[in-house]
Amino acid sequence: MSPRIGMDKQIIVTAAVEIADAEGLESVTLARVAEKLGVRSPSLYNHINGLQELRMQLTLLALNRLHAAMAAAAEGNPGEEALRRISQAYVNFARMQPGLYEAVLRSPDPAEDRVGEAAGTIVRLVQQQMAFFGLNGDASLHAVRGFRSMLHGFAELERAGGFGLPLDLDTTLELMIEAFCRGLAAYKRT
Amino acid sequence: MSPRIGMDKQIIVTAAVEIADAEGLESVTLARVAEKLGVRSPSLYNHINGLQELRMQLTLLALNRLHAAMAAAAEGNPGEEALRRISQAYVNFARMQPGLYEAVLRSPDPAEDRVGEAAGTIVRLVQQQMAFFGLNGDASLHAVRGFRSMLHGFAELERAGGFGLPLDLDTTLELMIEAFCRGLAAYKRT
DNA sequence: ATCCTAAAACTAATATCATTAGTTTTGGCG
DNA sequence: CGCCAAAACTAATGATATTAGTTTTAGGAT
């Protein structure tokens, strides 16, 4: 029932992640993955339904790992310290796995349920932290959106080489987080 | 000296922008542009040096138009009001020209001089505004980076459908800008 | 032990790209 | 009116994804 074992969807996705992190998400092609695994590209179709599904798997994996990293960082640190650690975890993830991070916002179909669910767990994680700042309901959702915008923008600009000048990036991040936390009071009116 | 006039680099780039905005940056292929212009794709090589150069032109055009929109918004409105208007102009640009906006951070070579120059004009524009908040030198650069991160993250999340829930996006943006302005004081220590 | 079968690999083929080489067309200038 | 260079074209090559159809093989059944 299982000729030539060893190959399955997970192994394919793992190879794709390695290629993405080493060469960029654009370099993740079925041909490249097949080469890395020592098979011909049509063989991959026995385990995964084409490039679209592979890219969807990358997005879901990215969201899950990102959530795990953020959740671990939030553990036992309420309030501003949690936001600092979550931010650090977020940016570290993007730095350590730049190709996988790219996949976060580049799924073949952003409207798919599985993507929304995975993203939702991240939103709720951050939303819980906002409660420590006295934000609830719509206000906390707006705050989460602001927080995500800030972190994603920073991560993406850093990844894409958008910060040209030789000025310490960690300092930029720390100051941005501090400014955001100070400004959080602005959301209370909502 | 000019058989079959009418075609030149600018016309090609314009067609590419229309395709990008209507179908996404990924749909900008030489084949698609040639089809839109009613020629065969090799003909484009008489005017532009391949897909790479076309994509570079898109990035440069995007940066220039973005800068123009931001500069117009800053006109005659110093301080926080300027930041609000600049933010609005930035996000509007990304909304009106989503495909072109995508090109801002997806040049074939982010390290190229022309990209750095175009991005630099935007940085300096925002940096001037930071002076009204009493920020100079490194502090103002960190602040500009934070501002860009915020705006790019918001624009990108909105474009890619990253904001799932049905909660007003303009409100999210307004609150985020207000929070950032309030938090700007945090940069003064630097 | 051998056989059978279904999974998993393969080859072959089609279609879409980018790109290069070489050919043809054409419009303005002498 | 013909020349010629620019700009279009066709043809060809080499990636890529994907489908169809064939071969291989591992492990359970006999």
Side-chain angles (χ1 to χ4, degrees), chain A residues 111 142 144 182:
Chain A
H142 285 302
V144 171
R182 286 198 189 193

Side-chain angles (χ1 to χ4, degrees), chain B residues 1 3 40 43 46-47:
Chain B
M1 260 204 207
R40 303 309 184 96
S43 304
N46 285 312
H47 307 283

Side-chain angles (χ1 to χ4, degrees), chain A residues 3 7 40 43 46-47:
Chain A
M7 168 89 52
R40 303 310 184 94
S43 305
N46 285 311
H47 308 283

Side-chain angles (χ1 to χ4, degrees), chain A residues 22-101:
Chain A
E23 307 165 26
L25 187 61
E26 287 190 11
S27 297
V28 175
T29 64
L30 291 185
R32 182 77 189 76
V33 171
E35 182 195 37
K36 190 179 179 79
L37 293 175
V39 299
R40 303 310 184 94
S41 52
S43 305
L44 300 177
Y45 284 81
N46 285 311
H47 308 283
I48 202 161
N49 196 8
L51 184 60
Q52 295 261 304
E53 187 186 338
L54 178 55
R55 306 226 292 144
M56 177 59 77
Q57 293 298 320
L58 287 181
T59 293
L60 296 175
L61 179 63
L63 286 170
N64 289 336
R65 287 211 192 149
L66 181 56
H67 172 263
M70 294 170 78
E75 225 21 64
N77 296 285
E80 185 167 336
E81 180 60 18
L83 287 192
R84 261 196 294 273
R85 295 197 186 202
I86 289 174
S87 302
Q88 200 55 247
Y90 190 106
V91 170
N92 269 343
F93 177 77
R95 284 174 176 167
M96 300 298 288
Q97 305 218 259
L100 189 56
Y101 182 78

Side-chain angles (χ1 to χ4, degrees), chain A residues 153-185:
Chain A
F154 181 87
E156 186 71 3
L157 280 161
E158 184 177 43
R159 190 195 58 74
F163 294 127
L165 301 157
L167 186 62
D168 187 66
L169 284 162
D170 288 311
T171 303
T172 294
L173 179 61
E174 285 165 25
L175 287 168
M176 184 171 70
I177 303 303
E178 187 182 337
F180 180 78
C181 289
R182 286 198 189 193
L184 269 181

